[in-house]
Amino acid sequence: MADPVPFPSALLRRSFRKAFPPAVRGEGVYLWDDRGKRYLDFSGSAAVNFIGHGVQEIPDAMAAQARNLEFVHSSQFTTPVAEEYAQELLDFAGVNFRGGCVYFTSGGSEAIETALKLARQYQVEIGQSKRYQVLSRSQSYHGATLGALAVSGNRRRREIYLPMVREFAQIGLPYCYRCAYDCEECARKYAEELETAIELTNGEAAAFISEPVSGATLGAAVPPDGYLRQVAEICRRHDVLFIVDEVMTGMGRTGRNFAVERWGVAPDVLVTAKGLSSGYAPLGAVLVSKKVSDAISCGSGSFLHGFTYNSHPISLAAGRAVLRYSQKLKLVQSADSARGDTPAAELRKSLETLREFEAVGDVRGIGLLWGVEFVADKPSKKPFAPGLNFAARVAEATMRRGLLVYPMQGSVDGVSGDHLLIAPPAVIIDEQIHWAVDQLRDSIEETAGLDLVRRN
Ligand SMILES: Cc1ncc(COP(=O)(O)O)c(C=O)c1O
């Protein structure tokens, strides 16, 4: 019989064995628990918060919407907020989505499900009903629902559910620190893996889905130049839709409105969430290019899909106010790590100093999305034993110091490999970055020291 649950609760929480402090307030980059302890939100929760906590314009816009109209069903009505915000998002996404349309959901996973079904319906509409397979990448995460898990590679998050999902082929992905091709023409070689996988489907591939910059699974692994363009070109040549998952990277997080812009890539479908509402309301969106929306509007004329809460007016009011606030404060520019004098550039510089630690193998990322990978042996890049839970222990140590980071395991092979994801709100200032990196440094030192004691 297992030990009694140490922290009983009526809420089914993520862990029965971990204490979760009740959070009661947020402002700027800070959160407070019910005992008054302050935490610097260095990971934007889970790369969610982009504009900072406690921005009053957002609840004001939500309350105004709720007072006028809280909800209508999308089978009966549209709403002004939905129509206007959809157009604003298309404009934000640039020329590639001109003439396209937007489908709103309550989060990233629902948006991914929507994109997968859209890809299938698109192929059926254009007379390619044989095409249904969605190819994806091995070290990836696209969501918690079964469809999204089917195309995710994150082993820890999908393994026990595998008997319940339909699996399609997955290809490798560029991960410079542990490149399978030793970074020799790896952009081309990884892209060629896609071409081979598509050919092996014998004309059944409907779409390929990919995060432009790997999110939580690999910890902000940035692809080599040329990779995404080649992938997009292969998809185009094989009539396979290219779906980019910008749930984590979208809405400015990488210093561009959407990360794909950095590499001049034009996806057929773009999925976003997290920073879209910055956490003020549950919200996701699927941006659909004209080619795809035309196929349906000129074909059967209806999208065979729907959630009760798609295009929820209060969530849309939140998202729209977040976009306006972000534009007013020029937060996408603040998130550009390649410009001098931005919080993102300061974050890059400060995080780079962590390389001095024996336990830090790699520091990588872009904009305000960074990964710090830990290793037990730096020259050989040997990871810590998974049972040590190194990243989680560093995160516990930072939390004790009032700093929130996002720990993950599995970067090497889905099971071993520890890293932290760092993704602060774009309103962070240099002084806060320096304080946060100091706490992180002390926490790594403490955790690595404990590990040495255990080993000796
Ligand atoms: C890249 C990516 N796609 C999809 C999702 C799923 O989004 P949600 O958790 O909002 O359902 C996530 C969540 O972390 C993500 O990082």
Side-chain angles (χ1 to χ4, degrees), residues 122-397:
Y122 165 82
Q123 298 291 2
V124 173
E125 297 277 1
I126 64 165
Q128 294 286 319
S129 51
K130 200 178 151 205
R131 293 184 180 272
Y132 68 96
Q133 297 192 32
V134 180
L135 308 181
S136 60
R137 309 195 304 174
S138 54
Q139 287 276 62
S140 60
Y141 182 64
H142 297 292
T145 50
L146 292 178
L149 267 189
V151 296
S152 295
N154 189 309
R155 247 171 91 180
R156 284 176 179 266
R157 291 184 179 178
R158 79 200 286 256
E159 207 149 62
I160 70 161
Y161 302 109
L162 275 182
M164 300 163 72
V165 303
R166 184 82 191 254
E167 284 193 87
F168 305 120
Q170 296 192 323
I171 59 169
L173 78 170
Y175 171 23
C176 292
Y177 183 58
R178 299 179 188 276
C179 182
Y181 301 109
D182 290 327
C183 278
E184 275 179 31
E185 291 188 61
C186 59
R188 179 179 59 77
K189 291 174 184 165
Y190 280 113
E192 280 170 4
E193 288 190 22
L194 175 62
E195 185 136 45
T196 307
I198 292 174
E199 282 162 4
L200 285 172
T201 68
N202 286 322
E204 291 181 349
F208 170 62
I209 184 167
S210 157
E211 297 160 89
V213 174
S214 168
T217 313
L218 281 185
V222 180
D225 284 343
Y227 170 73
L228 284 170
R229 282 186 88 109
Q230 289 176 60
V231 158
E233 167 55 22
I234 289 167
C235 287
R236 201 194 50 74
R237 209 166 349 107
H238 289 269
D239 299 319
V240 166
L241 289 188
F242 185 27
I243 304 172
V244 295
D245 178 348
E246 295 234 23
V247 167
M248 196 175 267
T249 54
M251 304 309 294
R253 169 76 45 206
T254 67
R256 293 286 188 279
N257 291 3
F258 291 105
V260 282
E261 289 167 23
R262 193 171 282 278
W263 293 283
V265 170
D268 299 299
V269 176
L270 185 151
V271 178
T272 194
K274 294 193 185 258
L276 184 63
S277 66
S278 245
Y280 284 80
L283 185 62
V286 183
L287 277 65
V288 185
S289 63
K290 186 169 185 312
K291 171 177 110 175
V292 177
S293 74
D294 279 357
I296 300 178
S297 62
C298 304
S300 67
S302 51
F303 183 29
L304 292 170
H305 178 65
F307 301 105
T308 297
Y309 286 144
N310 62 250
S311 286
H312 194 286
I314 301 173
S315 291
L316 299 186
R320 195 171 175 217
V322 164
L323 178 59
R324 287 182 181 171
Y325 186 81
S326 171
Q327 289 177 326
K328 187 172 80 181
L329 268 65
K330 299 192 170 24
L331 294 183
V332 180
Q333 286 94 316
S334 301
D336 189 350
S337 50
R339 283 179 181 229
D341 217 19
T342 60
E346 194 57 37
L347 179 67
R348 172 172 52 79
K349 256 190 284 166
S350 292
L351 289 175
E352 286 287 348
T353 65
L354 298 174
R355 287 184 186 275
E356 76 195 33
F357 284 107
E358 275 306 299
V360 172
D362 195 27
V363 176
R364 53 178 172 259
I366 194 165
L368 287 170
L369 187 66
W370 288 83
V372 177
E373 180 166 338
F374 299 114
V375 283
D377 180 59
K378 204 158 179 165
S380 66
K381 304 183 182 178
K382 187 177 150 220
F384 284 102
L388 267 181
N389 259 328
F390 192 86
R393 281 168 51 217
V394 173
E396 279 165 23

